[in-house]
Amino acid sequence: MSFRLAAYAVCIEDERVLLARHVSREGGSNWTLPGGRVEHGEDPFDAVIREVAEETGCAAVVERLLGVDSRVIPAASARAGVEHQNVGIFYRVHLTGGELRPEPDDEIAESVWTPFADVAGLRRSSLVDIGLALARTRPATGHVAPVQVGGLIQH
């Protein structure tokens, strides 16, 4: 089993959420939250700010911790074909400057403000639904029920 610790930004303004379009090396794409791997020795708080800057071109500040999600992706569904656990730390984030742009030489093709009403119709990572549920419900435990994967919702 592989393991990954990641930090994700939930950036909401005017009934819209900031989403990033991830394009795989195989050519497929789906929408996700800005964020990614916490590097060895890096604080997740710092990682989410770094990831937002790298993926979107914008500076950000963390407003609050929203919660933590842990999921195991079966080998049959995992990109590498090996069972994989992802632990994601979700932060409410506010952009403070910069202009949205693609991630240079990497997998984020674009970042866009997406109306809440449009999210359900997008092919997206389950991380989007988890982040929005955490932002909407603000559970004291920092935990929401798992999101069912299938249809437009992917791992």
Side-chain angles (χ1 to χ4, degrees):
M1 174 188 282
S2 64
F3 176 83
R4 176 179 156 169
L5 176 63
Y8 300 102
V10 181
C11 188
I12 296 171
E13 286 185 10
D14 303 323
E15 300 298 310
R16 302 175 303 163
V17 61
L18 182 62
L19 296 180
R21 187 167 60 88
H22 177 268
V23 178
S24 70
R25 288 178 175 82
E26 297 80 36
S29 72
N30 72 337
W31 292 94
T32 190
L33 296 171
R37 179 183 312 278
V38 176
E39 302 295 335
H40 180 75
E42 185 178 32
D43 187 307
F45 183 93
D46 297 327
V48 75
I49 293 169
R50 175 185 54 76
E51 286 284 345
V52 168
E54 288 175 3
E55 292 183 356
T56 72
C58 294
V61 295
V62 171
E63 294 178 345
R64 70 180 312 247
L65 174 67
L66 292 173
V68 176
D69 175 69
S70 177
R71 71 188 57 243
V72 174
I73 301 169
S77 301
R79 281 186 232 161
V82 176
E83 186 176 70
H84 173 75
Q85 181 180 9
N86 188 72
V87 175
I89 302 169
F90 292 77
Y91 293 96
R92 178 73 184 255
V93 170
H94 176 75
L95 299 186
T96 59
E99 291 188 27
L100 294 176
R101 52 109 178 109
E103 184 177 17
D105 303 320
D106 218 333
E107 298 177 344
I108 301 300
E110 62 181 326
S111 295
V112 299
W113 288 104
T114 307
F116 291 151
D118 295 349
V119 171
L122 299 175
R123 179 180 167 88
R124 64 196 182 279
S125 167
S126 58
L127 298 170
V128 173
D129 296 68
I130 290 165
L132 288 174
L134 286 166
R136 184 179 57 254
T137 63
R138 296 172 69 173
T141 62
H143 191 263
V144 292
V147 170
Q148 186 69 23
V149 174
L152 293 175
I153 302 174
Q154 308 297 309
H155 281 293

